[in-house]
Amino acid sequence: MRDWVRWHDAYDDPGSALRRRLDVVRRLVADALDQAPRGRPLRLVSVCAGQRHDVVGALAHHPRRRD
């Protein structure tokens, strides 16, 4: 049986495959925000949110985080 709580610990390990995947997803989210039309509110839906590392990490310092 998999321990899903411990499985998420790999997000904190910079050398883990899970962390590398997270970094790619964050870049893709940031790129999508960069390409979105200006002057309109944005809506981002994460269908597999988990602990929200992907969305929160991408938005933390992004210039359009308040959009």
Side-chain angles (χ1 to χ4, degrees), residues 6-65:
R6 288 191 54 193
W7 180 85
H8 283 90
D9 290 345
Y11 281 118
D12 297 326
D13 177 1
S16 75
L18 192 59
R19 178 55 184 259
R20 289 190 303 272
R21 185 186 71 116
L22 175 62
D23 292 340
V24 169
V25 170
R26 285 178 175 172
R27 279 194 306 272
L28 292 171
V29 169
D31 289 348
L33 293 171
D34 291 339
Q35 295 172 20
R38 301 270 176 205
R40 294 186 198 174
L42 298 172
R43 183 173 299 180
L44 187 140
V45 177
S46 179
V47 296
C48 193
Q51 295 177 325
R52 301 178 312 273
H53 290 294
D54 52 355
V55 173
V56 172
L59 293 176
H61 302 288
H62 196 278
R64 297 199 64 194
R65 67 185 168 273

